Amino acid sequence: MCGIVGYVGYRDCTEVLVDALSKLEYRGYDSAGIAVFENEEIKVAKSKGRLADLTAKMEKEGMLHGTSGIGHTRWATHGEPSDRNSHPHGGERVTIVHNGIIENYKSIKDFLLGVGRGFKSDTDTEVIAQLLDYYYDGDPVHTISKVIREIEGSYALGIVFEDFPDTVFAIRRESPLIVGIGENESFIASDVPAILKYTKNYYLLEHDEIAVLSKYSTKIYDLHYKQITKELKTADWDMDAAEKCGFEHFMLKEIFEQPTSIKTTITPRIVDGLPNLEECGITPDILNSFNNIHVVACGTAMHAGVVGKYVIEKLARVPVNVDIASEFRYRAPLVTDKDLVIIISQSGETADSLAAMRLAKKLGAKTLAIVNAKGSSIAREADMLIYTHAGPEIAVASTKAYMVQIAVMYLFAFEIALAKGMIDENECRRLTSLLQKTPEMIENILESKSETQHIASSLIASDSLLYIGRGLDYALSMEGSLKLKEISYIHSESYAAGELKHGTISLISDGTPVIAVATQSELFDKTISNIKEVKARGAKVIIVCRENYEPDSDVADFKFGLPDFDDLLMPMLAVVPLQLIAYYTSVLKGNDVDKPRNLAKSVTVE
Ligand code: M6R
């Protein structure tokens, strides 16, 4: 939800800010803007729409020239997407960019209106700019500390003061922010990929730490103006991680990165052929100590939890409850100090997931975070942590992050099943080695991508479709359905195949597409019967099943065949055609695949 950047150094600042913002556009793309010190004066350029609209505007009206400034890409919360609501926002002497939400903005705005201040936008952000300007006493750090004590909510702020040219100030609470350190240059950014082109070294800013960036030095203070020494971190990604590298879209690149992401995630967690999560703080004793497991997450990450539930319950016989974080946090969940709460999140910043984790801790439960973004809030606050090593996921539609989330759920399930004595070491080894084979099998499936293009071309004229399956296939179809709807804008629902006849089957009419996932041997015949029920009512059926099954014409119109594999691990293979079908449907419809409408990658508002 919004990306912010800042730069101080020797390069052309506009170029750096625009380039860095291009790596953060996944966080929001309703408008973009920059503020640059030009001859010691703050000059602003901003525009509704994408970053490309901002650069087109600057090319027409004049580029900003300087070597320091701040920038923003917006996902609108307060005030419609428009030029006037675009960041940066400024008072007379202070200009800011903001990622987050100011909860008490109304009372501050009333106060400022009462003392004669005027507002130029409908945003909550402008109240911070105006308050900074109102309290400004010639000392930026002192002024920032004073203002911060009055605002409630979440923020990552980049701030420039007219009196302090070539200096950028920054502060954060809840919303992420890093400070990049190069040679004779420094950066701020909401996420590491924005600065990778220039430096891999960065500081993780903690809550309410104030960073002061100038060309030759960067200082960090607490709210009492005490200077803080911090550990300099080094990103382990290279620049390619944030580039498309010849792929048409980030989503396609990320789908193709899945085999590598799985290997990087599971290999360090397998010792002597058995899962070993000790480096993440998870031991057999700890695993044995829980009565119940709750998995709490949002969207795709929650769907990974549903796969985890099926696998953990089957193998380890421990009850697993999967919850949507925004529901969990407000419904007095039945969680005790004997329970484990697993939070799954790609970004590690999802507001509802973070709040759910804090609630779980308050209720005495142990928390385990499965997170992709290093140093994110969820990663930092959890009791135990398993990082997924997917690298940066830029496309808004999550693919490789889901894949590694389920890979970790499998490892976890194998280990807890072994710890509880529900499977023996041989079976655990067998399952673990099957998991290790999945990258190669996925590589083979990716070679059949043209078949999914063909299936996608049969879907683009549809208004609505259904995904159906039983057991793990149902768990997976939830993700297939979300993927398709979020980027193709075609309505779709996932349904347990056996439940259709209790109402939903009335939606089927001549030509209604149904994507049926049928990979679970024990349930196969039952799923085929359900498929026949929709086919008999006119559905156009696309079946995702094992290669060796040849559907009759009363079952399916198209088949996507998967290699034969253990039922338990089939979701890791079957998700790939579902991702590709969604991707190509979006491409064929001419949609903006990586930046679907109304969405943003990191959902830091509830
Ligand atoms: O960063 P998180 O994994 O916590 O994000 C959760 C959801 O917002 C996310 O998975 C969302 O559903 C994706 N856009 C789906 O592709």
Side-chain angles (χ1 to χ4, degrees), residues 298-301 344-348 350 353 396-398 405 482-483 486 601 603:
C298 304
T300 288
I344 308 180
S345 176
Q346 188 287 128
S347 62
T350 302
S353 305
V396 166
S398 181
Q405 285 159 357
L482 176 65
K483 214 75 317 166
E486 76 175 319
K601 182 81 183 157
V603 186

Side-chain angles (χ1 to χ4, degrees), residues 176-450:
L177 196 64
I178 56 145
V179 178
I181 305 295
E183 210 155 295
N184 298 335
E185 58 184 350
S186 333
F187 308 78
I188 54 164
S190 300
D191 200 357
V192 177
I195 60 160
L196 280 180
K197 185 169 169 186
Y198 311 99
T199 181
K200 285 184 165 191
N201 299 326
Y202 65 94
Y203 294 117
L204 274 173
L205 221 52
E206 298 292 341
H207 296 321
D208 291 342
E209 287 177 350
I210 302 170
V212 183
L213 284 68
S214 56
K215 189 170 170 183
Y216 299 113
S217 78
T218 291
K219 294 193 172 126
I220 298 173
Y221 300 93
D222 67 12
L223 283 186
H224 306 289
Y225 222 146
K226 197 170 138 238
Q227 201 176 329
I228 302 167
T229 315
K230 291 182 75 76
E231 181 201 347
L232 192 62
K233 307 220 175 251
T234 304
D236 51 8
W237 304 328
D238 57 23
M239 245 179 67
D240 284 357
E243 304 290 343
K244 287 190 200 141
C245 298
F247 284 90
E248 202 185 334
H249 298 99
F250 279 111
M251 182 176 174
L252 190 62
K253 177 185 175 230
E254 289 159 7
I255 290 172
F256 273 77
E257 281 172 348
Q258 294 183 116
T260 310
S261 304
I262 298 169
K263 279 187 230 163
T264 333
T265 300
I266 65 170
T267 308
R269 280 76 183 253
I270 297 173
V271 178
D272 290 337
L274 290 171
N276 186 323
L277 297 168
E278 239 164 78
E279 53 120 9
C280 312
I282 300 163
T283 60
D285 281 350
I286 291 185
L287 289 173
N288 252 320
S289 65
F290 304 118
N291 290 347
N292 297 296
I293 297 176
H294 304 262
V295 182
V296 187
C298 304
T300 288
M302 190 270 292
H303 294 158
V306 181
V307 171
K309 170 188 169 74
Y310 278 79
V311 180
I312 297 168
E313 287 189 343
K314 185 176 169 81
L315 292 179
R317 312 303 297 149
V318 183
V320 181
N321 166 52
V322 181
D323 246 308
I324 296 168
S326 54
E327 290 298 312
F328 178 90
R329 62 184 289 200
Y330 292 117
R331 71 169 171 75
L334 292 170
V335 172
T336 73
D337 58 0
K338 297 273 179 302
D339 294 350
L340 172 68
V341 175
I342 304 179
I343 308 291
I344 308 180
S345 176
Q346 188 287 128
S347 62
E349 299 293 347
T350 302
D352 284 317
S353 305
L354 180 59
M357 186 175 79
R358 288 178 179 160
L359 173 64
K361 286 181 106 171
K362 221 161 134 190
L363 294 170
K366 272 256 174 286
T367 54
L368 162 64
I370 300 175
V371 169
N372 196 45
K374 310 274 154 59
S376 53
S377 304
I378 294 175
R380 283 193 268 183
E381 292 184 29
D383 299 316
M384 294 171 283
L385 169 66
I386 306 179
Y387 273 127
T388 51
H389 298 305
E393 191 179 63
I394 311 281
V396 166
S398 181
T399 53
K400 62 176 180 173
Y402 173 80
M403 184 64 94
V404 290
Q405 285 159 357
I406 60 174
V408 165
M409 290 313 280
Y410 279 107
L411 270 187
F412 179 86
F414 302 162
E415 181 151 11
I416 191 168
L418 181 65
K420 293 214 169 261
M422 301 310 291
I423 57 171
D424 63 20
E425 215 175 277
N426 282 344
E427 176 62 357
C428 194
R429 266 182 219 288
R430 185 187 75 82
L431 291 169
T432 309
S433 79
L434 285 176
L435 183 64
Q436 286 173 298
K437 287 197 182 113
T438 55
E440 201 187 319
M441 302 191 75
I442 291 167
E443 260 157 30
N444 293 335
I445 295 168
L446 286 168
E447 279 169 22
S448 319
K449 72 176 166 67
S450 56

Side-chain angles (χ1 to χ4, degrees), residues 481-497:
S481 170
L482 176 65
K483 214 75 317 166
L484 184 91
K485 72 182 130 195
E486 76 175 319
I487 58 173
S488 75
Y489 316 145
I490 298 173
H491 169 258
S492 98
E493 272 186 65
S494 59
Y495 238 78

